[in-house]
Amino acid sequence: MKKQFLVLFALLLAFVKTYGQKQDRPNILWIVSEDNSPFLGCYGDTFATTPNLDNFAKQGILYKNAFATAPVCAPSRSTLITGMYPPSMGTEHMRSTYPVPDFVKFFPRYFRENGYYTSNNAKKDYNTIDQTEAWDESSNKATYKNRKPGQPFFAVFNLNVSHESGIHVSVPTEKLKHDPEKVPLPPYHPKTPEMKHDWAQYYDKLEEMDRQAGELLRELEKEGLAENTIVFYYADNGGILGRSKRFVYESGLKIPLIIRFPEQFSSLAPGKPGTATDRIVTFNDFAPTVLSLAGITIPSYIQGKAFLGKQQVKERAYAYGFRGRMDERTDLSRTVRDKKYRYIRNYLPHKISAQYLEYLWKAPSMPSWEAEFKAGRLNDVQKQFWLEKPSEQLFDIEKDPHNIHNLAGDPKYKDVLLKLRKANHDWVIESQDVGFIPEALLSKISETTPLYDYARSGRYDLKKVIETAEIASSREKSKLPEIIKRLSDNDPVVRYWAVIGTIVLKNEAVSAKSRLNELLNDPEISVRIAASESLLNLGETEKPVQTLSEALKSENQMARVQALNVLETIGTKAKPSFQNVRNLLKGNPKDSDYDVRAAKKILDEAEK
């Protein structure tokens, strides 16, 4: 009997130690949904069906100004896992594996070193070389339940049901829970049947996401861990229909964020349960914040700042964001957001927002929107997506949450424009943004040197590069003499941006023609390709197309992508390159390769 009692007592002690004992350090649980803006009831969306997260918001703190750094998953997740701004490391372009410096560690590793159990279920997608030692386990079966008795944990659960792919195959209308005829559409979307259906199906996916989030919260309660665990719920970027995910508007960068603090750790909360805060937070800040909550010293190299815990700092004034290459299409934008305004600088304004992306066009709503544009049935707001971009955009978020009224040219907002323009310029310089290096050259540099180190090596004349990029993207003909001068600069990155300036000006840059022809023999392939694009704008065909066709034989994939981006815009003029396009497809059978996607589009258009 005494032996049975001792066994029972030992089991009771183990239970108390595992479930009932208060911890000095909190567990931290991340519930991460994919591709969704704050389409939740607790954020005021009356069409959404999200009872679990609405109830969760009543128990936690709702953040009204939380932002991803990039409007797409992999660069955003690079930010989250490192606490670093991707353009400072070269991890900004979609699905790349450029290495980060050795001292940059995936932050869960610091939790492990401090006795925490770390689990990730299951998406990684960190846009750089993986660091598997960050996790005790990372798989679709990973869970905090596998930790040792009494061990604190940092656990991530990724919910992919709301991912963009969820609308690629349409559900029969009669099976939808949300009525396509009642779905609220943003003013930039036409009311096509496909658009309304995709939106309704998306709301169905969000309802299921909410159910799954509720299951995870109930599981935590069932395990007796809710009173020891700080829970974050957030989305990895905005989305998902056209002009949201991948685009640096509110629809792509603003995310839901709710954090619940158990009573034991209520002193760490910024307010009482059920309240909201307008503090600006970004993905840069998430890693240092959870380290701060756990009492772990934040490494000095981390660029983000803690907004909770003993190491929290003064509230940031701005949220910075970026757009680089998205799959097979090149683009470059930077954005700054304060509590009232969003400023966007488009450094490649000649590229339309609606560049064809194979993956984006899998949603039935996208071809329907394109068809409406080609038929001339769109209003002025709806067709902007299909036209060239302004060099600068400024939006009053309070009055214009959908970002459709550009105030950059309004004299009444000149002071705001100048302030945010300067904030953007200063941050690009401070963060040592390597995204202004054309990716064909960027990828070559990364083979021998981490791009973060290269930016700080003295070999990257960032100030002159940014100055040239700003001149080039300004659309100001008065800048042409300076642009022509920089076409002969010793720095290939400066030459590249000078050529971009002639592309943006189109026929107004005719006086640069002779120098552009010389640049068809430039030692840097990205400059040759850009010069070809400019000369095509100025009416030349044979030599530019020949140069682009030769670029398709390059071993540099990003050079091939750059050349294909140009060839895809010139229609039948690209015909002399078609054999090299076909050869490229034969040599690169993987559909996931971005040069393959771009090449297929060219041949598909040629066959029409």
Side-chain angles (χ1 to χ4, degrees):
M1 188 73 176
K2 183 178 179 180
K3 184 177 180 181
Q4 290 176 325
F5 175 79
L6 290 173
V7 171
L8 184 62
F9 183 70
L11 289 171
L12 182 60
L13 282 177
F15 178 85
V16 170
K17 184 176 181 181
T18 305
Y19 299 113
Q21 189 179 56
K22 288 188 176 182
Q23 296 177 189
D24 293 332
R25 297 182 292 173
N27 305 315
I28 297 174
L29 173 65
W30 278 6
I31 300 174
V32 188
S33 58
E34 294 199 46
D35 296 352
N36 62 281
S37 304
F39 298 129
L40 308 173
C42 53
Y43 275 90
D45 190 324
T46 57
F47 194 70
T49 310
T50 53
N52 292 290
L53 290 171
D54 295 348
N55 184 60
F56 181 64
K58 294 176 183 177
Q59 303 165 2
I61 311 297
L62 183 146
Y63 283 76
K64 297 191 290 185
N65 286 317
F67 301 97
T69 48
V72 71
C73 52
S76 273
R77 289 172 179 269
S78 175
T79 317
L80 285 166
I81 201 66
T82 62
M84 301 286 281
Y85 190 63
S88 72
M89 300 191 297
T91 57
E92 68 167 290
H93 297 297
M94 184 61 179
R95 297 259 159 69
S96 55
T97 54
Y98 304 133
V100 299
D102 290 340
F103 63 80
V104 175
K105 308 299 182 186
F106 290 2
F107 80 86
R109 181 170 175 174
Y110 300 117
F111 276 92
R112 288 191 74 188
E113 291 172 355
N114 281 271
Y116 273 72
Y117 187 83
T118 61
S119 64
N120 178 56
N121 187 331
K123 188 170 182 174
K124 290 186 173 181
D125 209 12
Y126 299 140
N127 223 41
T128 187
I129 298 168
D130 195 9
Q131 297 179 17
T132 56
E133 66 274 14
W135 305 103
D136 284 290
E137 58 173 332
S138 180
S139 71
N140 58 9
K141 295 182 179 180
T143 173
Y144 53 80
K145 297 177 187 178
N146 294 331
R147 73 198 189 288
K148 296 175 182 177
Q151 184 180 12
F153 65 81
F154 172 78
V156 181
F157 288 89
N158 291 274
L159 307 179
N160 64 7
V161 67
S162 52
H163 185 264
E164 177 181 13
S165 57
I167 60 169
H168 286 174
V169 178
S170 293
V171 173
T173 302
E174 62 272 16
K175 293 187 177 182
L176 292 174
K177 295 181 179 180
H178 292 82
D179 187 347
E181 297 306 316
K182 295 180 180 179
V183 67
L185 297 185
Y188 47 80
H189 279 168
K191 295 181 180 180
T192 65
E194 295 87 354
M195 187 69 75
K196 291 186 286 186
H197 188 284
D198 277 3
W199 268 106
Q201 186 164 321
Y202 180 41
Y203 271 99
D204 280 6
K205 297 295 182 180
L206 292 175
E207 182 175 352
E208 172 59 17
M209 179 276 291
D210 176 80
R211 186 196 67 78
Q212 292 179 11
E215 283 297 311
L216 289 170
L217 292 169
R218 283 187 285 276
E219 182 177 55
L220 191 70
E221 294 275 359
K222 182 181 177 182
E223 294 293 318
L225 295 167
E227 289 307 313
N228 292 332
T229 306
I230 298 172
V231 182
F232 285 58
Y233 160 73
Y234 65 92
D236 66 349
N237 52 256
I240 56 176
L241 280 81
R243 198 188 178 272
S244 57
K245 181 180 179 180
R246 301 184 183 87
F247 299 94
V248 289
Y249 300 110
E250 293 293 286
S251 54
L253 290 170
K254 188 170 185 178
I255 57 158
L257 170 63
I258 306 166
I259 307 176
R260 187 180 71 185
F261 299 81
E263 184 177 352
Q264 182 188 351
F265 298 107
S266 60
S267 62
L268 297 171
K272 294 181 179 180
T275 60
T277 175
D278 68 351
R279 177 169 182 150
I280 293 176
V281 300
T282 86
F283 278 1
N284 251 27
D285 305 327
F286 279 37
T289 294
V290 291
L291 291 172
S292 177
L293 287 171
I296 300 170
T297 300
I298 300 168
S300 60
Y301 70 82
I302 285 183
Q303 293 168 326
K305 305 299 180 184
F307 59 86
L308 295 168
K310 292 182 179 180
Q311 297 172 78
Q312 69 175 291
V313 300
K314 182 181 176 181
E315 179 181 359
R316 61 166 61 246
Y318 302 116
Y320 302 101
F322 63 92
R323 171 183 163 94
R325 175 180 52 74
M326 297 292 171
D327 296 350
E328 70 267 34
R329 299 299 172 203
T330 303
D331 207 345
L332 198 160
S333 298
R334 298 292 182 263
T335 183
V336 177
R337 170 73 148 81
D338 64 14
K339 289 184 179 179
K340 184 171 172 57
Y341 297 100
R342 177 172 293 285
Y343 169 84
I344 300 172
R345 183 68 188 245
N346 296 306
Y347 295 94
L348 300 175
H350 61 291
K351 291 184 177 290
I352 66 172
S353 297
Q355 293 187 83
Y356 174 86
L357 278 166
E358 182 191 53
Y359 200 77
L360 177 57
W361 255 251
K362 288 183 178 182
S365 50
M366 284 305 300
S368 80
W369 192 2
E370 183 178 24
E372 292 297 293
F373 172 70
K374 290 180 177 178
R377 290 191 290 264
L378 298 179
N379 62 35
D380 288 345
V381 171
Q382 294 164 350
K383 71 182 180 184
Q384 286 303 311
F385 187 68
W386 304 87
L387 306 176
E388 289 192 3
K389 302 186 291 290
S391 298
E392 295 181 294
Q393 294 170 285
L394 178 68
F395 303 106
D396 183 330
I397 304 304
E398 295 175 2
K399 297 178 181 177
D400 181 21
H402 292 293
N403 305 168
I404 58 175
H405 302 295
N406 184 14
L407 305 173
D410 190 330
K412 291 186 294 186
Y413 293 89
K414 182 179 179 181
D415 290 344
V416 176
L417 178 69
L418 292 176
K419 183 183 78 167
L420 294 181
R421 178 193 290 166
K422 183 179 186 300
N424 178 69
H425 174 88
D426 290 350
W427 176 244
V428 166
I429 300 295
E430 180 186 340
S431 63
Q432 298 283 290
D433 193 323
V434 296
F436 291 83
I437 302 173
E439 199 175 3
L441 179 55
L442 190 82
S443 61
K444 187 163 59 177
I445 293 168
S446 74
E447 292 174 359
T448 57
T449 309
L451 295 165
Y452 181 92
D453 295 336
Y454 177 79
R456 291 153 179 81
S457 67
R459 290 177 284 169
Y460 182 34
D461 191 351
L462 176 62
K463 290 186 178 180
K464 189 171 186 179
V465 167
I466 298 305
E467 181 183 67
T468 311
E470 290 174 348
I471 292 171
S473 60
S474 68
R475 296 188 184 275
E476 296 178 19
K477 188 180 179 181
S478 62
K479 306 288 188 183
L480 183 58
E482 183 62 28
I483 288 172
I484 292 175
K485 178 182 176 182
R486 297 187 186 209
L487 290 173
S488 300
D489 197 273
N490 290 330
D491 187 338
V493 184
V494 172
R495 293 199 302 276
Y496 167 83
W497 277 106
V499 177
I500 294 297
T502 68
I503 296 171
V504 171
L505 289 173
K506 296 186 172 64
N507 288 331
E508 292 182 325
V510 67
S511 58
K513 198 169 183 178
S514 61
R515 179 61 184 136
L516 288 167
N517 269 295
E518 293 173 6
L519 290 176
L520 293 179
N521 297 308
D522 193 274
E524 172 49 45
I525 192 169
S526 57
V527 176
R528 299 199 298 272
I529 295 168
S532 299
E533 182 176 4
S534 188
L535 287 165
L536 284 163
N537 285 342
L538 295 172
E540 296 205 15
T541 301
E542 184 178 353
K543 286 184 179 179
V545 172
Q546 181 182 347
T547 301
L548 295 169
S549 185
E550 285 297 314
L552 300 183
K553 301 177 183 178
S554 171
E555 294 183 359
N556 188 318
Q557 184 188 35
M558 290 302 108
R560 299 196 298 269
V561 169
Q562 183 186 350
L564 289 163
N565 270 228
V566 180
L567 288 166
E568 196 263 327
T569 66
I570 62 174
T572 56
K573 290 182 180 180
K575 192 171 182 180
S577 71
F578 285 177
Q579 187 55 51
N580 281 352
V581 174
R582 294 188 184 95
N583 291 341
L584 188 155
L585 289 174
K586 289 179 183 177
N588 297 273
K590 286 178 63 178
D591 287 344
S592 60
D593 285 348
Y594 297 131
D595 51 346
V596 171
R597 296 185 189 184
K600 282 183 175 180
K601 176 63 174 174
I602 290 173
L603 295 181
D604 288 346
E605 290 295 318
E607 292 173 0
K608 289 183 180 179

